[in-house]
Amino acid sequence: MSVQLLVNLRIYREEFQMERYLGSDDIFALVKSGSFTFSFDGEPITVGAGEGALFRKNVLYERKIITPVTMYFFRYRSDTPIFLQDKITFSDTARIQSTIALLEKLDTGVFKEEFSMRCSLFSDIVTQYAIENATQMNELAVRDARIERVIVKISESLHKKLLLSELAKEAELSYVQFLRCFKQYTGMNPSEYLAVLRLQKAKQLLSETALPIKEIAYTCGFENEYYFSNFFKKHTLTSPSEFRNASM
């Protein structure tokens, strides 16, 4: 298993800047104090002091602060899943509180090689979690690797017509198993997920390029500009041209 810590930040929030969140990297949030809820499919999950939340890449979350929260964000990349659940608890609470205390010491900014120390502390969190959940890790890693393959295929094929049967085959799962596992992993069915990615891509192209709207429509997988405009307005309550003008 290879884990790369990209960023570690101490964050205080009375409300989330983005209550609807979809990220391109995995994020582990370790709560020092306060609490918040998050959800991607079903009932909101509450996370408090000494607990963690996993925000998986390419998953759309709803988040809300309950009481003002101080937490440590670890943005990372890993070749295999390192956390099993979306809410993460630790049996050895003294050990995780010790890790939080060490992170607080790093916030003083007086230590040399500060980031390498943060990497070591994150590695310690991952190790603690792996020891406490060893019996469940292998099964989840196999399932999630299959869904990750499909997510990459969808992301690289927004301009194409994608059949669910083909995606299930890519995941090496039956059609029914694929639909269930995909929704468990992302909080959306494949069609909803594809729509979210196409909308994000369209917004990016409208705001960052001068491509004609017709070309953006084809790039994002729509048969023509008419269907694209209807889709865009349904989800944003504004037309593509109006969105582009407002972004300038």
Side-chain angles (χ1 to χ4, degrees):
M1 178 176 65
S2 174
V3 181
Q4 178 188 11
L5 180 64
L6 303 174
V7 177
N8 174 227
L9 296 172
R10 182 181 186 271
I11 295 175
Y12 172 80
R13 290 285 185 270
E14 295 183 4
E15 61 181 27
F16 282 114
Q17 295 173 340
M18 293 184 294
E19 291 196 343
R20 288 171 61 84
Y21 173 79
L22 188 151
S24 56
D25 289 308
D26 292 320
I27 290 179
F28 168 67
L30 178 61
V31 178
K32 174 183 178 291
S33 62
S35 59
F36 66 90
T37 65
F38 71 106
S39 65
F40 65 95
D41 181 29
E43 291 297 315
I45 301 167
T46 301
V47 182
E51 299 175 334
L54 175 62
F55 297 105
R56 288 177 276 124
K57 62 183 179 182
N58 302 317
V59 178
L60 181 63
Y61 290 93
E62 300 282 349
R63 311 182 298 178
K64 193 171 185 65
I65 299 293
I66 301 175
T67 57
V69 63
T70 299
M71 55 190 157
Y72 286 92
F73 267 29
F74 299 85
R75 183 160 65 88
Y76 68 91
R77 290 176 186 164
S78 175
D79 56 354
T80 59
I82 59 176
F83 296 110
L84 294 173
Q85 301 90 3
D86 296 287
K87 176 179 177 177
I88 298 155
T89 59
F90 298 92
S91 301
D92 190 345
T93 56
R95 180 173 174 179
I96 200 64
Q97 289 298 334
S98 174
T99 299
I100 291 173
L102 290 171
L103 286 166
E104 286 187 282
K105 287 186 178 180
L106 291 178
D107 291 335
T108 62
V110 299
F111 295 95
K112 294 182 179 180
E113 304 297 331
E114 177 187 328
F115 187 72
S116 64
M117 295 173 72
R118 293 182 185 275
C119 290
S120 296
L121 288 175
F122 184 58
S123 177
D124 188 65
I125 292 170
V126 172
T127 299
Q128 177 181 350
Y129 182 85
I131 291 172
E132 293 180 0
N133 297 273
T135 58
Q136 304 173 56
M137 294 298 290
N138 290 336
E139 179 181 347
L140 184 82
V142 171
R143 188 198 73 187
D144 284 359
R146 292 172 177 175
I147 299 302
E148 279 293 337
R149 276 206 310 271
V150 173
I151 286 173
V152 170
K153 184 177 181 66
I154 292 174
S155 300
E156 294 175 347
S157 308
L158 295 182
H159 60 292
K160 298 179 181 178
K161 182 176 181 180
L162 296 172
L163 299 177
L164 293 181
S165 57
E166 293 177 353
L167 297 178
K169 185 176 180 180
E170 179 75 20
E172 300 176 1
L173 296 168
S174 72
Y175 184 83
V176 173
Q177 287 176 322
F178 168 65
L179 292 181
R180 182 175 66 251
C181 289
F182 192 93
K183 187 158 188 179
Q184 286 175 344
Y185 192 76
T186 67
M188 295 174 276
N189 64 45
S191 298
E192 291 169 337
Y193 185 80
L194 178 59
V196 168
L197 290 192
R198 282 177 168 162
L199 184 62
Q200 284 187 323
K201 183 68 173 179
K203 286 181 176 179
Q204 177 190 356
L205 294 175
L206 286 167
S207 61
E208 298 178 7
T209 76
L211 288 173
I213 291 177
K214 181 178 181 180
E215 187 171 341
I216 291 175
Y218 290 138
T219 301
C220 294
F222 295 90
E223 294 181 12
N224 55 53
E225 187 177 341
Y226 172 78
Y227 286 118
F228 169 62
S229 296
N230 282 347
F231 168 85
F232 194 89
K233 193 162 188 177
K234 176 182 177 182
H235 288 84
T236 66
L237 303 181
T238 187
S239 69
S241 58
E242 289 170 340
F243 180 86
R244 166 169 276 172
N245 291 335
S247 302
M248 290 181 176

